[in-house]
């Protein structure tokens, strides 16, 4: 089945003083399951992974409540302060929820680029491993060396790089990103999301502009460690859901050695395996 490995919901009332600002009109509103369902049905997406967008426990609880009410939300990636003394206890609490699948610190917003390369996280990470949870890395190119050290320190922790670490597609400055991504991909516990690229591509971004990035992540991770995600509703800054799904499918289809089995993996199977998603009945009637 097709799975969207990366999407968000939010309420503006919970985001006072937080991103997005009012100037980003396509995003400055509430986004709820009813807003996404038509796109999922048109693209035959059977389920999604709902990912945090605020560094707060309240946002994680909000997502878990949504997941309990909507079958198409197959997994939730939340937030915990991984360096806090209470992190292991709270992780154990969250792990009791069947759909809770992982954690994502918002590394791109932290002042210390090497925040993740710190033994102070070891207890929390071990708790994640013990409970079968995964780690989403919201990083930029400058964080990749520290992330590589973190991934080496925790080889049993499944890690996925969100949005391919947001390469500087619009500026065409890809050489350092390519080198760092290739080095990170040599670690077998690291995966990559094919998401968020259109918003990094700048106005008028098309397949030709994205192709070098897509080719590089396929070369680095292979089809077995890539997973497609929409990054909706942030995607609305660049295009609509259907257009990105079709564009990503076309870009993947054009990669050497990619056939039906590889497409099934990138557009669903890998996310299912990485996040250990359940085969839940789909009361919304989506094709599974």
């Amino acid at each position: 089945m097709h799975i969207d490995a990366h999407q968000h919901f939010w309420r503006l009332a919970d985001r006072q003083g937080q991103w997005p600002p009012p100037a980003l009109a396509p995003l400055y509103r509430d986004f709820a399951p009813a807003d996404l369902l038509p796109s999922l049905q048109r693209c035959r997406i059977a389920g999604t992974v709902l990912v945090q967008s605020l560094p707060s426990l309240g946002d994680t609880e909000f997502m878990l409540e949504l997941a309990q009410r909507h079958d198409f939300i197959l997994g939730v990636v939340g937030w915990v302060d991984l360096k806090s003394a209470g992190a292991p206890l709270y992780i154990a609490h969250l792990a009791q929820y069947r759909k809770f699948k992982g954690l994502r610190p918002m590394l791109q917003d932290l002042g210390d680029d090497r925040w993740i390369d710190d033994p102070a996280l070891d207890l929390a990470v071990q708790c994640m491993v013990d409970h079968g949870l995964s780690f989403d890395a919201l990083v930029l190119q400058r964080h990749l060396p520290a992330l590589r050290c973190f991934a080496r320190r925790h080889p049993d922790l499944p890690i996925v790089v969100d949005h391919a670490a947001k390469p500087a597609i619009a500026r065409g400055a890809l050489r350092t990103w390519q080198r760092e991504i290739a080095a990170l991909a040599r670690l077998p516990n690291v995966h990559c999301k094919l998401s968020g690229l259109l918003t990094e591509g700048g106005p008028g971004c098309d397949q030709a502009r994205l192709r070098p990035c897509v080719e590089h992540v396929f070369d680095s991770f292979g089809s077995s460690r890539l997973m497609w995600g929409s990054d909706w509703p942030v995607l609305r800054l660049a295009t609509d859901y259907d257009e990105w799904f079709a564009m990503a499918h076309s870009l993947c289809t054009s990669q050497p050695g990619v056939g039906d089995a590889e497409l099934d993996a990138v557009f669903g199977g890998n996310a299912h395996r990485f996040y250990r998603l359940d085969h839940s009945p789909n009361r919304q009637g989506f094709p599974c």
Side-chain angles (χ1 to χ4, degrees), residues 17 243 281 285:
E243 178 65 24

Side-chain angles (χ1 to χ4, degrees), residues 27-247:
L27 303 183
Y28 194 69
R29 46 159 285 200
D30 293 352
F31 288 97
D35 299 309
L36 181 58
L37 279 170
S39 295
L40 299 182
Q41 292 169 329
R42 286 193 302 272
C43 296
R44 299 176 63 84
I45 307 296
T48 73
V49 176
L50 177 57
V51 180
Q52 64 84 228
S53 60
L54 282 177
S56 73
L57 300 178
D59 183 53
T60 300
E61 292 164 359
F62 162 68
M63 293 188 298
L64 288 170
E65 291 170 3
L66 288 178
Q68 287 180 320
R69 300 201 306 268
H70 299 277
D71 284 350
F72 78 85
I73 302 174
L74 301 179
V76 169
V77 176
W79 179 91
V80 168
D81 181 354
L82 294 174
K83 291 187 181 180
S84 70
L89 185 63
Y90 201 73
I91 291 168
H93 163 70
L94 291 172
Q96 297 178 67
Y97 290 86
R98 179 176 61 87
K99 291 188 177 182
F100 185 75
K101 301 300 180 181
L103 289 166
R104 182 174 87 148
M106 303 187 77
L107 301 177
Q108 69 171 12
D109 298 329
L110 299 179
D112 180 4
D113 289 352
R114 299 199 68 85
W115 185 93
I116 193 65
D117 182 21
D118 186 347
L121 285 91
D122 288 356
L123 287 178
V125 171
Q126 187 56 54
C127 188
M128 292 177 67
V129 172
D130 292 344
H131 288 283
L133 301 175
S134 60
F135 184 95
D136 268 59
L138 178 60
V139 293
L140 304 173
Q141 174 186 296
R142 67 178 189 265
H143 301 104
L144 294 178
L147 180 62
R148 190 165 68 248
C149 294
F150 172 78
R152 284 195 185 115
R153 182 182 293 115
H154 303 288
D156 296 325
L157 178 69
I159 298 169
V160 62
V161 181
D162 290 351
H163 318 319
K166 297 190 173 183
I169 300 170
R171 292 190 289 111
L174 299 179
R175 184 170 299 178
T176 302
W177 171 81
Q178 289 170 328
R179 183 179 66 248
E180 293 293 344
I181 283 289
L184 188 60
R186 294 187 190 106
L187 302 175
N189 59 322
V190 181
H191 303 65
C192 183
K193 285 187 181 178
L194 195 62
S195 61
L197 298 182
L198 270 179
T199 48
E200 300 303 318
C205 184
D206 57 11
Q207 289 194 43
R209 196 180 298 177
L210 296 183
R211 187 164 286 111
C213 292
V214 174
E215 289 177 351
H216 187 65
V217 294
F218 264 93
D219 288 344
S220 299
F221 292 95
S223 59
S224 64
R225 287 190 288 149
L226 285 176
M227 57 190 87
W228 174 82
S230 69
D231 196 28
W232 185 94
V234 181
L235 173 68
R236 288 164 51 92
L237 293 173
T239 190
D240 61 32
Y241 195 102
D242 305 48
E243 178 65 24
W244 168 234
F245 178 79
M247 183 182 295

Side-chain angles (χ1 to χ4, degrees), residues 237-276:
L237 293 173
T239 190
D240 61 32
Y241 195 102
D242 305 48
E243 178 65 24
W244 168 234
F245 178 79
M247 183 182 295
H249 196 276
S250 176
L251 283 164
C252 292
T253 301
S254 68
Q255 299 304 306
V258 171
D260 289 345
E262 289 75 21
L263 288 173
D264 287 346
V266 172
F267 284 87
N270 293 340
H272 193 280
R273 173 173 48 84
F274 179 85
Y275 286 114
R276 305 182 187 187

